[in-house]
């Protein structure tokens, strides 16, 4: 239980205090740049190695953001020291984002240094903020800082290495960090955290993640609008533009119509909200984020190679963006509703079937079909859940 003293930088308990602050929204602006950099980097280096590198950086960007979201679930951004910490993280995040295109080139050490400074620096600050205020969470953040410091060694070493050696070192670093929550951040002599230690505000966590999804969807909108404005006007570019827009809207609908609200309500009434938040938000949102980024890349390919056929890489982007997004929503909604949405499983099956015919159809037609799958899933879910949201059956 938090005590009240002059150094208490924690949020007060209650629904009003769980609202996302303007500073948190301001902080998220850095990640608009990050998402843009990630999608452009993947589109520019669309090879197996380029995809692996983009995936690793996506995991890193999400991890630094979600860890900050967890921290601001406890710390009050209206307190001046917390504001200072978030502004410092913004500056480091800007350096991180700016280095993304050359993270596996000349700016590897800049990327690694900014990332480690954000992760370790934020955790050290939170440890200090919890001292003499929340004893249990002080111990939690000592454990977290230990894990992040160990992974930070691999980040920095990777920044000093080159090519495949850098990729291997950074994969090890990410593996350590992603294993941390599942392992309870166990540290010899300090024990491990339990689900009951993570008393989070479900409304705050749900709203923070929803806003991040909006950022990602905004990048997809920007890609389609910017590319359309740069190309000569024609019937084909108009069809691709409408397809990209409708596909993005379908993604928005699938996430927000039933997923977001139910998740916030469920986690608020969960006996161990930290465990559910870790499953639904910390891990479950990763394929949602990846799906939207790949969708943005697919939009670029639909504009630049509309009549291409037989390119399995482009087909993987066009169908994979929708597929990853559905997998993420399947995970997210399954964790927060207690049942797997049949509509999403069917959508994934449709996409798999489309993969067999993808080599024989043009890219823009494949994009139309992938968008139709999302629309079918959205309509199916809407018709099955409207008025029967409490039904314990598959939908």
């Amino acid at each position: 239980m938090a005590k009240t003293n002059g150094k208490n930088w924690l949020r007060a308990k209650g629904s009003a205090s769980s609202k996302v602050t303007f500073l948190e929204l301001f902080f998220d602006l850095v990640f608009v740049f990050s998402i843009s950099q990630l999608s452009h980097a993947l589109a520019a280096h669309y090879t197996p190695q380029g995809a692996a590198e983009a995936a690793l950086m996506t995991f890193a960007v999400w991890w630094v953001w979600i860890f900050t979201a967890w921290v601001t679930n406890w710390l009050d951004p209206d307190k001046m020291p917390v504001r200072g910490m978030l502004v410092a993280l913004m500056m480091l995040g800007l350096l991180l984002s700016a280095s993304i295109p050359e993270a596996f080139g000349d700016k590897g050490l800049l990327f690694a240094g900014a990332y480690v400074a954000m992760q370790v620096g934020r955790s050290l600050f939170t440890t200090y903020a919890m001292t003499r205020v929340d004893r249990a969470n002080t111990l939690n953040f000592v454990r977290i800082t230990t894990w992040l410091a160990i992974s930070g060694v691999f980040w920095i070493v990777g920044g000093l290495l080159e090519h495949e050696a850098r990729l291997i070192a950074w994969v090890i670093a990410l593996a350590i960090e992603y294993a941390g929550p599942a392992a309870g951040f166990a540290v010899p002599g300090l024990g491990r955290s339990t689900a009951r230690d993570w008393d989070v505000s479900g409304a705050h966590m749900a709203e923070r993640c929803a806003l991040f999804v909006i950022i990602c969807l905004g990048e997809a909108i920007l890609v389609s609008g910017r590319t359309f404005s740069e190309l000569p006007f024609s019937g084909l570019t108009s069809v691709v533009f409408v397809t990209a827009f409708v596909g993005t809207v379908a993604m928005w609908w699938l996430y927000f119509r039933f997923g977001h609200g139910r998740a916030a309500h469920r986690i608020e009434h969960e006996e161990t909200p930290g465990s559910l938040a870790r499953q639904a938000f910390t891990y479950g949102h990763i394929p949602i984020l990846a799906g939207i980024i790949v969708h943005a890349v697919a939009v670029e390919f639909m504009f630049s190679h509309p009549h291409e056929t037989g390119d399995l890489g482009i087909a993987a982007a066009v169908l994979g963006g929708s597929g990853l997004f559905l997998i993420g929503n399947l995970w997210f909604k399954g964790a927060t509703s207690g049942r797997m949405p049949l509509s999403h499983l069917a959508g994934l099956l449709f996409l798999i079937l489309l993969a067999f015919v993808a080599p024989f159809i043009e890219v823009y037609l494949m994009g139309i079909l992938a968008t139709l799958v999302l629309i079918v899933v959205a309509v199916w879910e809407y018709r099955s859940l409207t008025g029967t949201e409490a039904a314990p059956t598959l939908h």
Side-chain angles (χ1 to χ4, degrees), residues 247-294:
T248 306
V249 171
M251 288 180 165
W252 171 85
W253 179 275
L254 284 168
Y255 181 86
F256 285 95
R257 179 59 181 89
F258 293 107
H260 167 256
R262 286 189 308 178
H265 177 78
R266 168 75 185 279
I267 198 172
E268 279 292 318
H269 297 85
E270 186 73 9
E271 185 177 347
T272 54
S275 179
L276 181 60
R278 183 183 68 193
Q279 180 71 235
F281 295 111
T282 301
Y283 292 121
H285 272 61
I286 297 169
I288 293 176
L289 165 64
I292 299 173
I293 291 174
V294 174

Short mmCIF file of all heavy atoms in Angstrom, two decimals, residues 247-294:
data_model
loop_
_atom_site.label_atom_id
_atom_site.label_comp_id
_atom_site.label_asym_id
_atom_site.label_seq_id
_atom_site.Cartn_x
_atom_site.Cartn_y
_atom_site.Cartn_z
N GLY A 247 -9.32 -1.09 -46.02
CA GLY A 247 -8.63 -2.10 -45.23
C GLY A 247 -8.21 -1.56 -43.87
O GLY A 247 -8.34 -2.25 -42.84
N THR A 248 -7.73 -0.32 -43.83
CA THR A 248 -7.33 0.30 -42.56
C THR A 248 -8.53 0.53 -41.67
O THR A 248 -8.48 0.31 -40.45
CB THR A 248 -6.59 1.62 -42.82
OG1 THR A 248 -5.50 1.40 -43.73
CG2 THR A 248 -6.04 2.20 -41.53
N VAL A 249 -9.63 0.98 -42.27
CA VAL A 249 -10.86 1.18 -41.50
C VAL A 249 -11.37 -0.15 -40.92
O VAL A 249 -11.82 -0.21 -39.77
CB VAL A 249 -11.95 1.85 -42.36
CG1 VAL A 249 -13.29 1.87 -41.62
CG2 VAL A 249 -11.53 3.27 -42.72
N ALA A 250 -11.27 -1.20 -41.70
CA ALA A 250 -11.70 -2.52 -41.22
C ALA A 250 -10.86 -2.96 -40.02
O ALA A 250 -11.38 -3.54 -39.06
CB ALA A 250 -11.60 -3.55 -42.35
N MET A 251 -9.56 -2.67 -40.08
CA MET A 251 -8.69 -2.99 -38.93
C MET A 251 -9.13 -2.19 -37.70
O MET A 251 -9.20 -2.73 -36.59
CB MET A 251 -7.24 -2.68 -39.27
CG MET A 251 -6.61 -3.66 -40.24
SD MET A 251 -4.88 -3.24 -40.61
CE MET A 251 -4.33 -4.78 -41.37
N TRP A 252 -9.39 -0.92 -37.90
CA TRP A 252 -9.86 -0.08 -36.79
C TRP A 252 -11.15 -0.66 -36.19
O TRP A 252 -11.28 -0.77 -34.96
CB TRP A 252 -10.10 1.35 -37.29
CG TRP A 252 -10.79 2.21 -36.28
CD1 TRP A 252 -10.21 2.91 -35.26
CD2 TRP A 252 -12.20 2.46 -36.19
NE1 TRP A 252 -11.18 3.57 -34.53
CE2 TRP A 252 -12.40 3.30 -35.07
CE3 TRP A 252 -13.30 2.03 -36.94
CZ2 TRP A 252 -13.67 3.74 -34.70
CZ3 TRP A 252 -14.55 2.46 -36.56
CH2 TRP A 252 -14.73 3.31 -35.45
N TRP A 253 -12.08 -1.04 -37.03
CA TRP A 253 -13.35 -1.58 -36.56
C TRP A 253 -13.14 -2.87 -35.76
O TRP A 253 -13.72 -3.04 -34.69
CB TRP A 253 -14.27 -1.83 -37.75
CG TRP A 253 -15.60 -2.42 -37.36
CD1 TRP A 253 -15.90 -3.73 -37.16
CD2 TRP A 253 -16.81 -1.70 -37.10
NE1 TRP A 253 -17.21 -3.89 -36.81
CE2 TRP A 253 -17.81 -2.66 -36.76
CE3 TRP A 253 -17.16 -0.35 -37.14
CZ2 TRP A 253 -19.12 -2.30 -36.45
CZ3 TRP A 253 -18.47 0.01 -36.83
CH2 TRP A 253 -19.43 -0.96 -36.50
N LEU A 254 -12.33 -3.76 -36.30
CA LEU A 254 -12.11 -5.05 -35.64
C LEU A 254 -11.51 -4.88 -34.25
O LEU A 254 -11.85 -5.62 -33.32
CB LEU A 254 -11.20 -5.93 -36.49
CG LEU A 254 -11.84 -6.57 -37.72
CD1 LEU A 254 -10.79 -7.17 -38.63
CD2 LEU A 254 -12.82 -7.66 -37.28
N TYR A 255 -10.62 -3.91 -34.10
CA TYR A 255 -9.98 -3.73 -32.80
C TYR A 255 -10.89 -2.98 -31.82
O TYR A 255 -10.99 -3.36 -30.65
CB TYR A 255 -8.67 -2.96 -32.96
CG TYR A 255 -7.93 -2.75 -31.65
CD1 TYR A 255 -7.06 -3.71 -31.16
CD2 TYR A 255 -8.11 -1.59 -30.90
CE1 TYR A 255 -6.40 -3.53 -29.96
CE2 TYR A 255 -7.46 -1.41 -29.69
CZ TYR A 255 -6.60 -2.38 -29.23
OH TYR A 255 -5.96 -2.20 -28.03
N PHE A 256 -11.55 -1.93 -32.28
CA PHE A 256 -12.24 -1.04 -31.36
C PHE A 256 -13.71 -1.38 -31.13
O PHE A 256 -14.26 -1.04 -30.07
CB PHE A 256 -12.13 0.41 -31.84
CG PHE A 256 -10.78 1.00 -31.61
CD1 PHE A 256 -9.82 0.99 -32.61
CD2 PHE A 256 -10.44 1.55 -30.38
CE1 PHE A 256 -8.56 1.53 -32.39
CE2 PHE A 256 -9.18 2.08 -30.15
CZ PHE A 256 -8.24 2.08 -31.16
N ARG A 257 -14.37 -2.06 -32.07
CA ARG A 257 -15.81 -2.25 -31.91
C ARG A 257 -16.13 -3.16 -30.72
O ARG A 257 -17.05 -2.89 -29.95
CB ARG A 257 -16.43 -2.84 -33.20
CG ARG A 257 -17.94 -3.09 -33.10
CD ARG A 257 -18.68 -1.80 -32.79
NE ARG A 257 -20.11 -2.00 -32.66
CZ ARG A 257 -20.74 -2.31 -31.53
NH1 ARG A 257 -20.01 -2.49 -30.42
NH2 ARG A 257 -22.04 -2.45 -31.49
N PHE A 258 -15.37 -4.25 -30.57
CA PHE A 258 -15.65 -5.16 -29.47
C PHE A 258 -14.43 -5.45 -28.58
O PHE A 258 -14.59 -5.78 -27.42
CB PHE A 258 -16.19 -6.50 -30.00
CG PHE A 258 -17.54 -6.40 -30.63
CD1 PHE A 258 -17.68 -6.47 -32.02
CD2 PHE A 258 -18.68 -6.20 -29.87
CE1 PHE A 258 -18.93 -6.37 -32.61
CE2 PHE A 258 -19.93 -6.10 -30.45
CZ PHE A 258 -20.06 -6.19 -31.83
N GLY A 259 -13.24 -5.33 -29.13
CA GLY A 259 -12.05 -5.73 -28.37
C GLY A 259 -11.66 -4.78 -27.25
O GLY A 259 -11.51 -5.19 -26.09
N HIS A 260 -11.49 -3.50 -27.57
CA HIS A 260 -10.94 -2.54 -26.62
C HIS A 260 -11.82 -2.37 -25.39
O HIS A 260 -11.35 -2.44 -24.25
CB HIS A 260 -10.74 -1.20 -27.33
CG HIS A 260 -10.48 -0.07 -26.40
ND1 HIS A 260 -11.45 0.88 -26.11
CD2 HIS A 260 -9.40 0.28 -25.69
CE1 HIS A 260 -10.95 1.75 -25.26
NE2 HIS A 260 -9.71 1.42 -24.99
N GLY A 261 -13.13 -2.12 -25.58
CA GLY A 261 -14.02 -1.88 -24.45
C GLY A 261 -14.14 -3.06 -23.51
O GLY A 261 -14.10 -2.92 -22.28
N ARG A 262 -14.29 -4.26 -24.09
CA ARG A 262 -14.41 -5.46 -23.25
C ARG A 262 -13.13 -5.72 -22.47
O ARG A 262 -13.16 -6.17 -21.33
CB ARG A 262 -14.75 -6.67 -24.12
CG ARG A 262 -16.18 -6.69 -24.61
CD ARG A 262 -16.50 -8.01 -25.27
NE ARG A 262 -15.53 -8.37 -26.30
CZ ARG A 262 -15.57 -9.50 -26.98
NH1 ARG A 262 -16.51 -10.38 -26.73
NH2 ARG A 262 -14.68 -9.76 -27.91
N ALA A 263 -11.99 -5.43 -23.10
CA ALA A 263 -10.72 -5.65 -22.41
C ALA A 263 -10.60 -4.76 -21.18
O ALA A 263 -10.19 -5.20 -20.11
CB ALA A 263 -9.56 -5.40 -23.37
N ALA A 264 -10.96 -3.47 -21.33
CA ALA A 264 -10.87 -2.55 -20.21
C ALA A 264 -11.79 -2.99 -19.07
O ALA A 264 -11.41 -2.96 -17.89
CB ALA A 264 -11.23 -1.13 -20.67
N HIS A 265 -13.00 -3.40 -19.42
CA HIS A 265 -13.96 -3.84 -18.39
C HIS A 265 -13.48 -5.11 -17.70
O HIS A 265 -13.54 -5.21 -16.46
CB HIS A 265 -15.33 -4.08 -19.03
CG HIS A 265 -16.35 -4.61 -18.07
ND1 HIS A 265 -17.00 -3.80 -17.16
CD2 HIS A 265 -16.82 -5.88 -17.87
CE1 HIS A 265 -17.84 -4.54 -16.44
NE2 HIS A 265 -17.75 -5.80 -16.85
N ARG A 266 -12.99 -6.06 -18.48
CA ARG A 266 -12.56 -7.34 -17.91
C ARG A 266 -11.39 -7.16 -16.96
O ARG A 266 -11.37 -7.74 -15.86
CB ARG A 266 -12.20 -8.29 -19.05
CG ARG A 266 -11.47 -9.56 -18.63
CD ARG A 266 -12.39 -10.57 -17.97
NE ARG A 266 -11.63 -11.72 -17.48
CZ ARG A 266 -11.23 -12.74 -18.23
NH1 ARG A 266 -11.54 -12.77 -19.54
NH2 ARG A 266 -10.55 -13.74 -17.70
N ILE A 267 -10.41 -6.38 -17.37
CA ILE A 267 -9.21 -6.26 -16.55
C ILE A 267 -9.49 -5.48 -15.27
O ILE A 267 -8.86 -5.71 -14.24
CB ILE A 267 -8.06 -5.63 -17.37
CG1 ILE A 267 -6.73 -5.89 -16.68
CG2 ILE A 267 -8.27 -4.15 -17.56
CD1 ILE A 267 -5.54 -5.47 -17.51
N GLU A 268 -10.46 -4.56 -15.31
CA GLU A 268 -10.81 -3.80 -14.12
C GLU A 268 -11.43 -4.69 -13.05
O GLU A 268 -11.35 -4.39 -11.86
CB GLU A 268 -11.78 -2.67 -14.48
CG GLU A 268 -11.13 -1.43 -15.06
CD GLU A 268 -10.27 -0.70 -14.04
OE1 GLU A 268 -10.69 -0.56 -12.88
OE2 GLU A 268 -9.16 -0.29 -14.41
N HIS A 269 -12.05 -5.79 -13.46
CA HIS A 269 -12.74 -6.68 -12.53
C HIS A 269 -11.99 -7.99 -12.33
O HIS A 269 -12.54 -8.93 -11.74
CB HIS A 269 -14.17 -6.95 -13.01
CG HIS A 269 -15.02 -5.71 -13.07
ND1 HIS A 269 -15.02 -4.86 -14.16
CD2 HIS A 269 -15.88 -5.17 -12.17
CE1 HIS A 269 -15.85 -3.86 -13.94
NE2 HIS A 269 -16.38 -4.01 -12.74
N GLU A 270 -10.76 -8.05 -12.82
CA GLU A 270 -9.96 -9.27 -12.69
C GLU A 270 -9.29 -9.32 -11.31
O GLU A 270 -8.82 -8.30 -10.79
CB GLU A 270 -8.89 -9.30 -13.79
CG GLU A 270 -8.08 -10.57 -13.85
CD GLU A 270 -8.85 -11.75 -14.40
OE1 GLU A 270 -9.97 -11.56 -14.90
OE2 GLU A 270 -8.31 -12.87 -14.35
N GLU A 271 -9.24 -10.50 -10.73
CA GLU A 271 -8.62 -10.65 -9.41
C GLU A 271 -7.11 -10.40 -9.49
O GLU A 271 -6.51 -9.83 -8.58
CB GLU A 271 -8.89 -12.05 -8.86
CG GLU A 271 -8.37 -12.26 -7.45
CD GLU A 271 -8.72 -13.64 -6.90
OE1 GLU A 271 -9.57 -14.32 -7.51
OE2 GLU A 271 -8.16 -14.02 -5.86
N THR A 272 -6.49 -10.84 -10.57
CA THR A 272 -5.06 -10.59 -10.78
C THR A 272 -4.90 -9.85 -12.12
O THR A 272 -4.56 -10.46 -13.14
CB THR A 272 -4.26 -11.90 -10.80
OG1 THR A 272 -4.82 -12.79 -11.78
CG2 THR A 272 -4.28 -12.57 -9.44
N PRO A 273 -5.16 -8.53 -12.13
CA PRO A 273 -5.14 -7.78 -13.39
C PRO A 273 -3.78 -7.78 -14.08
O PRO A 273 -3.69 -7.71 -15.30
CB PRO A 273 -5.55 -6.37 -12.97
CG PRO A 273 -5.21 -6.29 -11.52
CD PRO A 273 -5.45 -7.66 -10.98
N GLY A 274 -2.69 -7.87 -13.29
CA GLY A 274 -1.37 -7.86 -13.90
C GLY A 274 -1.13 -9.02 -14.83
O GLY A 274 -0.52 -8.87 -15.88
N SER A 275 -1.63 -10.20 -14.45
CA SER A 275 -1.45 -11.39 -15.28
C SER A 275 -2.19 -11.24 -16.60
O SER A 275 -1.65 -11.56 -17.68
CB SER A 275 -1.94 -12.62 -14.53
OG SER A 275 -1.80 -13.78 -15.32
N LEU A 276 -3.42 -10.74 -16.55
CA LEU A 276 -4.21 -10.55 -17.77
C LEU A 276 -3.61 -9.45 -18.64
O LEU A 276 -3.55 -9.58 -19.87
CB LEU A 276 -5.66 -10.22 -17.41
CG LEU A 276 -6.61 -10.01 -18.59
CD1 LEU A 276 -6.68 -11.27 -19.45
CD2 LEU A 276 -8.00 -9.63 -18.10
N ALA A 277 -3.14 -8.38 -18.01
CA ALA A 277 -2.54 -7.28 -18.77
C ALA A 277 -1.28 -7.75 -19.49
O ALA A 277 -1.03 -7.36 -20.63
CB ALA A 277 -2.20 -6.12 -17.83
N ARG A 278 -0.50 -8.59 -18.83
CA ARG A 278 0.71 -9.12 -19.47
C ARG A 278 0.35 -9.95 -20.69
O ARG A 278 0.98 -9.83 -21.75
CB ARG A 278 1.50 -9.97 -18.47
CG ARG A 278 2.81 -10.51 -19.02
CD ARG A 278 3.50 -11.40 -17.99
NE ARG A 278 2.74 -12.63 -17.77
CZ ARG A 278 2.97 -13.46 -16.76
NH1 ARG A 278 3.89 -13.18 -15.86
NH2 ARG A 278 2.26 -14.57 -16.64
N GLN A 279 -0.68 -10.79 -20.56
CA GLN A 279 -1.07 -11.67 -21.66
C GLN A 279 -1.71 -10.88 -22.81
O GLN A 279 -1.32 -11.05 -23.98
CB GLN A 279 -2.07 -12.70 -21.13
CG GLN A 279 -2.57 -13.68 -22.17
CD GLN A 279 -1.52 -14.66 -22.60
OE1 GLN A 279 -1.23 -14.80 -23.78
NE2 GLN A 279 -0.92 -15.36 -21.65
N ALA A 280 -2.67 -10.02 -22.49
CA ALA A 280 -3.46 -9.35 -23.53
C ALA A 280 -2.76 -8.15 -24.13
O ALA A 280 -2.91 -7.87 -25.34
CB ALA A 280 -4.81 -8.92 -22.95
N PHE A 281 -2.01 -7.41 -23.32
CA PHE A 281 -1.42 -6.17 -23.80
C PHE A 281 0.08 -6.30 -24.08
O PHE A 281 0.53 -6.02 -25.19
CB PHE A 281 -1.68 -5.05 -22.79
CG PHE A 281 -3.13 -4.71 -22.63
CD1 PHE A 281 -3.80 -5.00 -21.46
CD2 PHE A 281 -3.84 -4.11 -23.66
CE1 PHE A 281 -5.14 -4.70 -21.30
CE2 PHE A 281 -5.18 -3.81 -23.52
CZ PHE A 281 -5.84 -4.11 -22.34
N THR A 282 0.84 -6.74 -23.08
CA THR A 282 2.29 -6.79 -23.26
C THR A 282 2.69 -7.70 -24.42
O THR A 282 3.52 -7.33 -25.25
CB THR A 282 2.97 -7.26 -21.97
OG1 THR A 282 2.63 -6.36 -20.91
CG2 THR A 282 4.48 -7.28 -22.13
N TYR A 283 2.10 -8.89 -24.47
CA TYR A 283 2.45 -9.85 -25.53
C TYR A 283 1.41 -9.86 -26.67
O TYR A 283 1.78 -9.93 -27.84
CB TYR A 283 2.57 -11.25 -24.96
CG TYR A 283 3.75 -11.44 -24.03
CD1 TYR A 283 3.58 -11.84 -22.71
CD2 TYR A 283 5.06 -11.25 -24.48
CE1 TYR A 283 4.67 -12.02 -21.85
CE2 TYR A 283 6.15 -11.43 -23.64
CZ TYR A 283 5.95 -11.81 -22.33
OH TYR A 283 7.03 -11.99 -21.50
N GLY A 284 0.13 -9.81 -26.34
CA GLY A 284 -0.92 -9.99 -27.34
C GLY A 284 -0.97 -8.90 -28.39
O GLY A 284 -1.47 -9.13 -29.50
N HIS A 285 -0.44 -7.71 -28.09
CA HIS A 285 -0.51 -6.62 -29.05
C HIS A 285 0.64 -6.62 -30.06
O HIS A 285 0.62 -5.84 -31.01
CB HIS A 285 -0.55 -5.28 -28.32
CG HIS A 285 -1.94 -4.84 -27.97
ND1 HIS A 285 -2.75 -5.58 -27.14
CD2 HIS A 285 -2.66 -3.75 -28.34
CE1 HIS A 285 -3.91 -4.95 -27.01
NE2 HIS A 285 -3.89 -3.85 -27.73
N ILE A 286 1.63 -7.48 -29.85
CA ILE A 286 2.77 -7.50 -30.76
C ILE A 286 2.37 -7.84 -32.20
O ILE A 286 2.72 -7.12 -33.14
CB ILE A 286 3.87 -8.45 -30.25
CG1 ILE A 286 4.40 -7.96 -28.91
CG2 ILE A 286 5.01 -8.56 -31.26
CD1 ILE A 286 5.29 -8.96 -28.20
N PRO A 287 1.60 -8.93 -32.43
CA PRO A 287 1.19 -9.20 -33.82
C PRO A 287 0.22 -8.16 -34.37
O PRO A 287 0.17 -7.96 -35.59
CB PRO A 287 0.53 -10.59 -33.74
CG PRO A 287 0.23 -10.81 -32.30
CD PRO A 287 1.23 -10.03 -31.53
N ILE A 288 -0.53 -7.47 -33.49
CA ILE A 288 -1.39 -6.38 -33.97
C ILE A 288 -0.53 -5.27 -34.54
O ILE A 288 -0.77 -4.77 -35.66
CB ILE A 288 -2.28 -5.85 -32.82
CG1 ILE A 288 -3.29 -6.92 -32.40
CG2 ILE A 288 -3.00 -4.57 -33.24
CD1 ILE A 288 -4.14 -6.52 -31.21
N LEU A 289 0.50 -4.86 -33.79
CA LEU A 289 1.42 -3.84 -34.26
C LEU A 289 2.13 -4.28 -35.54
O LEU A 289 2.17 -3.53 -36.53
CB LEU A 289 2.45 -3.56 -33.16
CG LEU A 289 3.71 -2.77 -33.55
CD1 LEU A 289 3.34 -1.37 -34.00
CD2 LEU A 289 4.70 -2.72 -32.38
N ALA A 290 2.65 -5.50 -35.54
CA ALA A 290 3.36 -6.00 -36.72
C ALA A 290 2.44 -6.06 -37.93
O ALA A 290 2.85 -5.72 -39.06
CB ALA A 290 3.94 -7.39 -36.43
N GLY A 291 1.20 -6.47 -37.72
CA GLY A 291 0.25 -6.57 -38.83
C GLY A 291 -0.02 -5.22 -39.48
O GLY A 291 -0.10 -5.12 -40.72
N ILE A 292 -0.14 -4.18 -38.67
CA ILE A 292 -0.42 -2.85 -39.24
C ILE A 292 0.80 -2.33 -39.99
O ILE A 292 0.68 -1.71 -41.05
CB ILE A 292 -0.85 -1.87 -38.12
CG1 ILE A 292 -2.13 -2.36 -37.45
CG2 ILE A 292 -1.07 -0.48 -38.70
CD1 ILE A 292 -2.54 -1.56 -36.23
N ILE A 293 2.00 -2.56 -39.46
CA ILE A 293 3.22 -2.12 -40.15
C ILE A 293 3.37 -2.84 -41.48
O ILE A 293 3.65 -2.22 -42.52
CB ILE A 293 4.46 -2.37 -39.27
CG1 ILE A 293 4.44 -1.44 -38.05
CG2 ILE A 293 5.75 -2.18 -40.07
CD1 ILE A 293 5.55 -1.70 -37.05
N VAL A 294 3.13 -4.15 -41.50
CA VAL A 294 3.23 -4.91 -42.75
C VAL A 294 2.13 -4.47 -43.71
O VAL A 294 2.35 -4.40 -44.94
CB VAL A 294 3.14 -6.43 -42.47
CG1 VAL A 294 3.11 -7.22 -43.78
CG2 VAL A 294 4.33 -6.89 -41.63
#
